[in-house]
Amino acid sequence: MKLPRLIITAPGSGTGKTMITCGILQALKKRGLNVSSFKCGPDYIDPMFHREAIGVNSYNLDSFLCGRNGVRELLLKNGKEADIAIIEGVMGYYDGLAGISVQASAYDIADLTDTPSVLVMDCRGVSVSIVPYIQGFLNYRKNSHIHGVILNRLSPAMYGRMKQMIETQTGITVYGYVPVIKEGTLDSRYLGLKLPHEVEGLRQRLEHLAETMEETLDLDGLIELAVQASPEKLDSQTEERTIEKQRTDPAGQDYRELRIGLAKDEAFCFVYQDNLDLIKSWNVTLVPFSPIHDQMLPDDLDGLLLYGGYPELYAKELSENAGMRMQIKDMLECGMPCMAECGGFMYLQQEIQNEEGECFAMAGVLPGKSYHTSSLKRFGYITLKEGTVFGQEVGEIPAHEFHYYDSEMCGEAFRADKPLSVRSWRCMMSTDTLLAGYPHIHYYGNPRILQAYLDACRKWKKKEERRDKNEARRKEPERIDRSNKAN
């Protein structure tokens, strides 16, 4: 399969790669190209900017969460209709597992997929020194996959001389520059960028970015570089992709009658699009609802999905919607299956205490209180071991944690092992009808999790159908008796 593609990466965080990626995506879309975008690593927010602000499909590529073959599978699946795929890097180009490995880094994705990379270089306060900086990245690996650079925050007056110096002394191409654009900056909070709907005038900012980059970047050259990406690394995995397809196939199980409630609003917005796509591919109907705005759950649900987000920012609104909280509590205590991650887990507990120390009542399905802390807790990749999912053995589960909030009761159902480390801890709450905790899970890393959940949902559905039939049988004599009396 021929898929033109590029990775936009950087030596480290804070260099402007998200802003430049968004500007390039917007500029390519304005040219009429069908663009797919991707984000290296587990981040939720950057793909939301790609998807919601610019209107292009966006997905994650994570070799730890999804596996090496899973990365190729997802790139092919989600890029098959695109004219070009733009992949945004994560952290610094070589930064991977445990801070000591290139695994799960942007470089790892470039190497797995043989994708050309372009470094975004921050030019604030630097001139000649940028050359050895670039040379270090080129020489760190035998094949760095780095084919060019973009010079960010550079004065137009300096560009010609900097371009000539870099190209002469490094042998790679400079694909233009981006001047300082104050209105192009994107504000952050503790989990990354603020959400797209919170950025004032975002669409206008992106339009301005695209117009600027049409003038200052060599977009034609970037497209040409993307077209040169070899299809061989992807197409050579035919047999492995077949194995991957078998691994993510529900083995003939019929889930088409299931209706799953999906929490989706300002508070619950962190979800991997590939997770939703996989659920839909198994003929399950997802029914979105809002724990903030809706008074009741949708009718005839067979399970609930409560993914992550910012429930702490909307704790007052969530708490005031008592009807929704009480109904969710009643349904889950009756046995309706539920998966809840991070923010969803916090919502199921008794209380959330915000940064100001105010406590707000939540659903109360689970014991404990979630509370704000001053630093990241148990940050990074983990492997979940020694537990069961909806009563089933599913093997090890690759996962990721990224949260400033913590809980009095995080659970004991699994042991979380840090990769390339001796550190571990207990976490997660797991029963035959519930899986809840801080870790985020990508189903391509272990699709048996999803199958175990849907099996539980199907059991619940059959139980409810039997209950409804028994209730109908019980009421039938009463109905006949009333009918006879009426006649």
Side-chain angles (χ1 to χ4, degrees), residues 82-121:
D83 298 318
I84 187 171
I86 302 297
I87 306 168
E88 181 183 343
V90 56
M91 299 176 65
Y93 185 54
Y94 291 109
D95 298 336
L97 287 186
I100 57 172
S101 170
V102 298
Q103 184 184 348
S105 66
Y107 162 78
D108 193 29
I109 301 301
D111 197 49
L112 282 171
T113 61
D114 199 13
T115 298
S117 299
V118 176
L119 273 176
V120 174
M121 303 299 299

mmCIF file of all heavy atoms in Angstrom, residues 82-121:
data_model
loop_
_atom_site.group_PDB
_atom_site.id
_atom_site.type_symbol
_atom_site.label_atom_id
_atom_site.label_comp_id
_atom_site.label_asym_id
_atom_site.label_seq_id
_atom_site.Cartn_x
_atom_site.Cartn_y
_atom_site.Cartn_z
ATOM 1 N N ALA A 82 -6.456 8.194 2.661
ATOM 2 C CA ALA A 82 -5.834 9.514 2.696
ATOM 3 C C ALA A 82 -4.886 9.741 1.518
ATOM 4 O O ALA A 82 -4.271 8.810 0.998
ATOM 5 C CB ALA A 82 -5.060 9.686 4.003
ATOM 6 N N ASP A 83 -4.773 11.005 1.123
ATOM 7 C CA ASP A 83 -3.750 11.408 0.160
ATOM 8 C C ASP A 83 -2.393 11.522 0.833
ATOM 9 O O ASP A 83 -1.353 11.305 0.204
ATOM 10 C CB ASP A 83 -4.112 12.764 -0.466
ATOM 11 C CG ASP A 83 -5.416 12.721 -1.236
ATOM 12 O OD1 ASP A 83 -5.646 11.731 -1.952
ATOM 13 O OD2 ASP A 83 -6.209 13.680 -1.117
ATOM 14 N N ILE A 84 -2.413 11.872 2.125
ATOM 15 C CA ILE A 84 -1.176 12.043 2.877
ATOM 16 C C ILE A 84 -1.483 11.886 4.361
ATOM 17 O O ILE A 84 -2.580 12.222 4.814
ATOM 18 C CB ILE A 84 -0.545 13.436 2.591
ATOM 19 C CG1 ILE A 84 0.843 13.567 3.237
ATOM 20 C CG2 ILE A 84 -1.470 14.566 3.041
ATOM 21 C CD1 ILE A 84 1.594 14.821 2.804
ATOM 22 N N ALA A 85 -0.535 11.326 5.112
ATOM 23 C CA ALA A 85 -0.668 11.177 6.561
ATOM 24 C C ALA A 85 0.411 12.000 7.245
ATOM 25 O O ALA A 85 1.592 11.888 6.901
ATOM 26 C CB ALA A 85 -0.550 9.707 6.964
ATOM 27 N N ILE A 86 0.003 12.833 8.198
ATOM 28 C CA ILE A 86 0.941 13.625 8.991
ATOM 29 C C ILE A 86 0.918 13.077 10.408
ATOM 30 O O ILE A 86 -0.141 12.982 11.040
ATOM 31 C CB ILE A 86 0.567 15.120 8.992
ATOM 32 C CG1 ILE A 86 0.532 15.664 7.561
ATOM 33 C CG2 ILE A 86 1.541 15.913 9.853
ATOM 34 C CD1 ILE A 86 1.862 15.619 6.837
ATOM 35 N N ILE A 87 2.100 12.708 10.917
ATOM 36 C CA ILE A 87 2.233 12.082 12.230
ATOM 37 C C ILE A 87 2.982 13.038 13.144
ATOM 38 O O ILE A 87 4.129 13.417 12.850
ATOM 39 C CB ILE A 87 2.994 10.744 12.130
ATOM 40 C CG1 ILE A 87 2.330 9.815 11.103
ATOM 41 C CG2 ILE A 87 3.078 10.076 13.498
ATOM 42 C CD1 ILE A 87 3.165 8.600 10.740
ATOM 43 N N GLU A 88 2.365 13.440 14.237
ATOM 44 C CA GLU A 88 3.042 14.310 15.207
ATOM 45 C C GLU A 88 3.808 13.467 16.209
ATOM 46 O O GLU A 88 3.285 12.487 16.749
ATOM 47 C CB GLU A 88 2.028 15.192 15.939
ATOM 48 C CG GLU A 88 2.698 16.132 16.928
ATOM 49 C CD GLU A 88 1.713 16.984 17.719
ATOM 50 O OE1 GLU A 88 0.545 17.096 17.285
ATOM 51 O OE2 GLU A 88 2.113 17.530 18.765
ATOM 52 N N GLY A 89 5.046 13.842 16.471
ATOM 53 C CA GLY A 89 5.879 13.102 17.411
ATOM 54 C C GLY A 89 5.464 13.318 18.852
ATOM 55 O O GLY A 89 4.536 14.065 19.162
ATOM 56 N N VAL A 90 6.182 12.650 19.747
ATOM 57 C CA VAL A 90 5.919 12.754 21.176
ATOM 58 C C VAL A 90 7.221 13.134 21.882
ATOM 59 O O VAL A 90 8.280 12.580 21.584
ATOM 60 C CB VAL A 90 5.357 11.429 21.745
ATOM 61 C CG1 VAL A 90 6.279 10.260 21.449
ATOM 62 C CG2 VAL A 90 5.075 11.538 23.237
ATOM 63 N N MET A 91 7.169 14.101 22.775
ATOM 64 C CA MET A 91 8.335 14.534 23.551
ATOM 65 C C MET A 91 9.517 14.788 22.612
ATOM 66 O O MET A 91 9.353 15.335 21.528
ATOM 67 C CB MET A 91 8.648 13.498 24.638
ATOM 68 C CG MET A 91 7.515 13.305 25.632
ATOM 69 S SD MET A 91 7.808 11.996 26.855
ATOM 70 C CE MET A 91 9.215 12.656 27.758
ATOM 71 N N GLY A 92 10.730 14.390 23.026
ATOM 72 C CA GLY A 92 11.880 14.469 22.138
ATOM 73 C C GLY A 92 11.916 13.259 21.211
ATOM 74 O O GLY A 92 11.400 12.188 21.559
ATOM 75 N N TYR A 93 12.553 13.410 20.066
ATOM 76 C CA TYR A 93 12.491 12.393 19.014
ATOM 77 C C TYR A 93 12.865 11.004 19.509
ATOM 78 O O TYR A 93 12.217 10.011 19.149
ATOM 79 C CB TYR A 93 13.408 12.813 17.868
ATOM 80 C CG TYR A 93 13.360 11.918 16.648
ATOM 81 C CD1 TYR A 93 12.167 11.618 16.020
ATOM 82 C CD2 TYR A 93 14.538 11.392 16.109
ATOM 83 C CE1 TYR A 93 12.118 10.816 14.890
ATOM 84 C CE2 TYR A 93 14.515 10.596 14.972
ATOM 85 C CZ TYR A 93 13.297 10.302 14.374
ATOM 86 O OH TYR A 93 13.267 9.508 13.252
ATOM 87 N N TYR A 94 13.902 10.896 20.341
ATOM 88 C CA TYR A 94 14.369 9.580 20.794
ATOM 89 C C TYR A 94 13.850 9.207 22.186
ATOM 90 O O TYR A 94 14.229 8.165 22.723
ATOM 91 C CB TYR A 94 15.902 9.555 20.819
ATOM 92 C CG TYR A 94 16.552 9.607 19.452
ATOM 93 C CD1 TYR A 94 17.225 10.749 19.025
ATOM 94 C CD2 TYR A 94 16.486 8.519 18.590
ATOM 95 C CE1 TYR A 94 17.832 10.800 17.774
ATOM 96 C CE2 TYR A 94 17.089 8.560 17.335
ATOM 97 C CZ TYR A 94 17.754 9.702 16.930
ATOM 98 O OH TYR A 94 18.359 9.743 15.683
ATOM 99 N N ASP A 95 12.994 10.016 22.782
ATOM 100 C CA ASP A 95 12.557 9.791 24.160
ATOM 101 C C ASP A 95 11.497 8.697 24.222
ATOM 102 O O ASP A 95 10.403 8.846 23.671
ATOM 103 C CB ASP A 95 11.993 11.082 24.766
ATOM 104 C CG ASP A 95 13.022 12.191 24.841
ATOM 105 O OD1 ASP A 95 14.223 11.858 24.868
ATOM 106 O OD2 ASP A 95 12.642 13.368 24.876
ATOM 107 N N GLY A 96 11.835 7.592 24.940
ATOM 108 C CA GLY A 96 10.923 6.467 25.022
ATOM 109 C C GLY A 96 10.770 5.933 26.426
ATOM 110 O O GLY A 96 10.813 6.680 27.410
ATOM 111 N N LEU A 97 10.614 4.607 26.545
ATOM 112 C CA LEU A 97 10.289 3.953 27.812
ATOM 113 C C LEU A 97 11.264 4.308 28.924
ATOM 114 O O LEU A 97 12.490 4.267 28.738
ATOM 115 C CB LEU A 97 10.292 2.431 27.639
ATOM 116 C CG LEU A 97 9.133 1.796 26.868
ATOM 117 C CD1 LEU A 97 9.260 0.282 26.935
ATOM 118 C CD2 LEU A 97 7.802 2.243 27.400
ATOM 119 N N ALA A 98 10.707 4.632 30.076
ATOM 120 C CA ALA A 98 11.452 4.806 31.329
ATOM 121 C C ALA A 98 12.519 5.887 31.246
ATOM 122 O O ALA A 98 13.368 5.975 32.124
ATOM 123 C CB ALA A 98 12.092 3.476 31.760
ATOM 124 N N GLY A 99 12.504 6.681 30.197
ATOM 125 C CA GLY A 99 13.515 7.719 30.037
ATOM 126 C C GLY A 99 14.888 7.191 29.670
ATOM 127 O O GLY A 99 15.863 7.957 29.638
ATOM 128 N N ILE A 100 14.982 5.892 29.329
ATOM 129 C CA ILE A 100 16.303 5.314 29.023
ATOM 130 C C ILE A 100 16.275 4.465 27.753
ATOM 131 O O ILE A 100 17.273 3.826 27.413
ATOM 132 C CB ILE A 100 16.828 4.449 30.195
ATOM 133 C CG1 ILE A 100 15.832 3.335 30.531
ATOM 134 C CG2 ILE A 100 17.103 5.308 31.419
ATOM 135 C CD1 ILE A 100 16.364 2.328 31.545
ATOM 136 N N SER A 101 15.141 4.428 27.056
ATOM 137 C CA SER A 101 14.992 3.578 25.878
ATOM 138 C C SER A 101 14.327 4.357 24.760
ATOM 139 O O SER A 101 13.567 5.298 25.006
ATOM 140 C CB SER A 101 14.152 2.344 26.230
ATOM 141 O OG SER A 101 13.787 1.624 25.065
ATOM 142 N N VAL A 102 14.609 3.952 23.513
ATOM 143 C CA VAL A 102 13.930 4.572 22.369
ATOM 144 C C VAL A 102 12.612 3.873 22.054
ATOM 145 O O VAL A 102 11.860 4.340 21.195
ATOM 146 C CB VAL A 102 14.825 4.574 21.109
ATOM 147 C CG1 VAL A 102 16.088 5.380 21.344
ATOM 148 C CG2 VAL A 102 15.146 3.155 20.645
ATOM 149 N N GLN A 103 12.319 2.759 22.726
ATOM 150 C CA GLN A 103 11.044 2.082 22.474
ATOM 151 C C GLN A 103 9.883 3.000 22.823
ATOM 152 O O GLN A 103 9.900 3.689 23.849
ATOM 153 C CB GLN A 103 10.932 0.801 23.307
ATOM 154 C CG GLN A 103 9.660 -0.002 22.997
ATOM 155 C CD GLN A 103 9.495 -1.216 23.885
ATOM 156 O OE1 GLN A 103 10.405 -1.614 24.597
ATOM 157 N NE2 GLN A 103 8.313 -1.818 23.862
ATOM 158 N N ALA A 104 8.883 3.043 21.961
ATOM 159 C CA ALA A 104 7.686 3.879 22.105
ATOM 160 C C ALA A 104 7.973 5.356 21.882
ATOM 161 O O ALA A 104 7.144 6.207 22.202
ATOM 162 C CB ALA A 104 7.013 3.664 23.462
ATOM 163 N N SER A 105 9.126 5.672 21.311
ATOM 164 C CA SER A 105 9.452 7.063 20.973
ATOM 165 C C SER A 105 8.968 7.378 19.562
ATOM 166 O O SER A 105 8.531 6.494 18.816
ATOM 167 C CB SER A 105 10.963 7.277 21.052
ATOM 168 O OG SER A 105 11.617 6.518 20.038
ATOM 169 N N ALA A 106 9.069 8.648 19.174
ATOM 170 C CA ALA A 106 8.752 9.029 17.791
ATOM 171 C C ALA A 106 9.712 8.333 16.828
ATOM 172 O O ALA A 106 9.318 7.901 15.736
ATOM 173 C CB ALA A 106 8.823 10.543 17.630
ATOM 174 N N TYR A 107 10.983 8.211 17.222
ATOM 175 C CA TYR A 107 11.943 7.486 16.387
ATOM 176 C C TYR A 107 11.502 6.040 16.183
ATOM 177 O O TYR A 107 11.622 5.483 15.082
ATOM 178 C CB TYR A 107 13.336 7.520 17.017
ATOM 179 C CG TYR A 107 14.254 6.466 16.453
ATOM 180 C CD1 TYR A 107 14.863 6.651 15.212
ATOM 181 C CD2 TYR A 107 14.491 5.272 17.140
ATOM 182 C CE1 TYR A 107 15.692 5.673 14.671
ATOM 183 C CE2 TYR A 107 15.307 4.293 16.607
ATOM 184 C CZ TYR A 107 15.904 4.494 15.366
ATOM 185 O OH TYR A 107 16.710 3.522 14.834
ATOM 186 N N ASP A 108 10.998 5.413 17.238
ATOM 187 C CA ASP A 108 10.545 4.023 17.150
ATOM 188 C C ASP A 108 9.440 3.888 16.105
ATOM 189 O O ASP A 108 9.440 2.939 15.303
ATOM 190 C CB ASP A 108 10.043 3.569 18.522
ATOM 191 C CG ASP A 108 9.860 2.054 18.604
ATOM 192 O OD1 ASP A 108 10.572 1.328 17.892
ATOM 193 O OD2 ASP A 108 9.005 1.613 19.387
ATOM 194 N N ILE A 109 8.506 4.832 16.084
ATOM 195 C CA ILE A 109 7.432 4.801 15.091
ATOM 196 C C ILE A 109 8.012 5.014 13.691
ATOM 197 O O ILE A 109 7.613 4.333 12.731
ATOM 198 C CB ILE A 109 6.367 5.870 15.401
ATOM 199 C CG1 ILE A 109 5.770 5.642 16.792
ATOM 200 C CG2 ILE A 109 5.280 5.872 14.337
ATOM 201 C CD1 ILE A 109 5.107 4.303 16.982
ATOM 202 N N ALA A 110 8.958 5.945 13.560
ATOM 203 C CA ALA A 110 9.594 6.170 12.258
ATOM 204 C C ALA A 110 10.292 4.916 11.767
ATOM 205 O O ALA A 110 10.212 4.559 10.583
ATOM 206 C CB ALA A 110 10.591 7.329 12.361
ATOM 207 N N ASP A 111 10.968 4.217 12.683
ATOM 208 C CA ASP A 111 11.721 3.024 12.305
ATOM 209 C C ASP A 111 10.787 1.856 11.983
ATOM 210 O O ASP A 111 11.018 1.100 11.033
ATOM 211 C CB ASP A 111 12.673 2.642 13.434
ATOM 212 C CG ASP A 111 13.772 1.692 12.985
ATOM 213 O OD1 ASP A 111 14.420 1.979 11.958
ATOM 214 O OD2 ASP A 111 13.972 0.662 13.641
ATOM 215 N N LEU A 112 9.717 1.714 12.754
ATOM 216 C CA LEU A 112 8.757 0.631 12.520
ATOM 217 C C LEU A 112 8.063 0.768 11.172
ATOM 218 O O LEU A 112 7.747 -0.233 10.521
ATOM 219 C CB LEU A 112 7.689 0.634 13.620
ATOM 220 C CG LEU A 112 8.060 0.046 14.981
ATOM 221 C CD1 LEU A 112 6.962 0.337 15.985
ATOM 222 C CD2 LEU A 112 8.259 -1.455 14.867
ATOM 223 N N THR A 113 7.822 2.007 10.765
ATOM 224 C CA THR A 113 7.018 2.251 9.566
ATOM 225 C C THR A 113 7.831 2.823 8.411
ATOM 226 O O THR A 113 7.266 3.083 7.343
ATOM 227 C CB THR A 113 5.886 3.235 9.900
ATOM 228 O OG1 THR A 113 6.450 4.483 10.340
ATOM 229 C CG2 THR A 113 4.991 2.677 11.005
ATOM 230 N N ASP A 114 9.142 3.012 8.629
ATOM 231 C CA ASP A 114 10.022 3.593 7.611
ATOM 232 C C ASP A 114 9.447 4.916 7.095
ATOM 233 O O ASP A 114 9.287 5.131 5.892
ATOM 234 C CB ASP A 114 10.230 2.617 6.448
ATOM 235 C CG ASP A 114 11.465 2.979 5.615
ATOM 236 O OD1 ASP A 114 12.269 3.803 6.076
ATOM 237 O OD2 ASP A 114 11.595 2.445 4.501
ATOM 238 N N THR A 115 9.170 5.801 8.040
ATOM 239 C CA THR A 115 8.573 7.092 7.719
ATOM 240 C C THR A 115 9.606 8.205 7.845
ATOM 241 O O THR A 115 10.281 8.300 8.874
ATOM 242 C CB THR A 115 7.391 7.385 8.668
ATOM 243 O OG1 THR A 115 6.391 6.383 8.487
ATOM 244 C CG2 THR A 115 6.792 8.758 8.402
ATOM 245 N N PRO A 116 9.755 9.056 6.825
ATOM 246 C CA PRO A 116 10.696 10.181 6.929
ATOM 247 C C PRO A 116 10.250 11.175 8.001
ATOM 248 O O PRO A 116 9.046 11.445 8.147
ATOM 249 C CB PRO A 116 10.662 10.807 5.540
ATOM 250 C CG PRO A 116 9.411 10.325 4.907
ATOM 251 C CD PRO A 116 9.103 8.999 5.510
ATOM 252 N N SER A 117 11.227 11.711 8.737
ATOM 253 C CA SER A 117 10.938 12.635 9.831
ATOM 254 C C SER A 117 11.538 14.007 9.555
ATOM 255 O O SER A 117 12.600 14.118 8.937
ATOM 256 C CB SER A 117 11.502 12.085 11.151
ATOM 257 O OG SER A 117 10.913 10.844 11.475
ATOM 258 N N VAL A 118 10.845 15.021 10.048
ATOM 259 C CA VAL A 118 11.317 16.402 9.938
ATOM 260 C C VAL A 118 11.361 16.990 11.343
ATOM 261 O O VAL A 118 10.358 16.990 12.059
ATOM 262 C CB VAL A 118 10.385 17.238 9.035
ATOM 263 C CG1 VAL A 118 10.832 18.697 9.016
ATOM 264 C CG2 VAL A 118 10.353 16.672 7.621
ATOM 265 N N LEU A 119 12.539 17.490 11.729
ATOM 266 C CA LEU A 119 12.741 18.046 13.062
ATOM 267 C C LEU A 119 12.318 19.509 13.107
ATOM 268 O O LEU A 119 12.744 20.308 12.267
ATOM 269 C CB LEU A 119 14.220 17.974 13.452
ATOM 270 C CG LEU A 119 14.782 16.722 14.108
ATOM 271 C CD1 LEU A 119 16.290 16.896 14.296
ATOM 272 C CD2 LEU A 119 14.128 16.438 15.443
ATOM 273 N N VAL A 120 11.505 19.845 14.094
ATOM 274 C CA VAL A 120 11.205 21.252 14.372
ATOM 275 C C VAL A 120 12.253 21.764 15.347
ATOM 276 O O VAL A 120 12.347 21.287 16.478
ATOM 277 C CB VAL A 120 9.794 21.407 14.972
ATOM 278 C CG1 VAL A 120 9.552 22.856 15.396
ATOM 279 C CG2 VAL A 120 8.734 20.962 13.967
ATOM 280 N N MET A 121 13.070 22.725 14.899
ATOM 281 C CA MET A 121 14.152 23.262 15.714
ATOM 282 C C MET A 121 13.773 24.637 16.241
ATOM 283 O O MET A 121 13.436 25.539 15.476
ATOM 284 C CB MET A 121 15.443 23.358 14.897
ATOM 285 C CG MET A 121 15.901 22.046 14.275
ATOM 286 S SD MET A 121 16.254 20.744 15.488
ATOM 287 C CE MET A 121 17.571 21.503 16.449
#
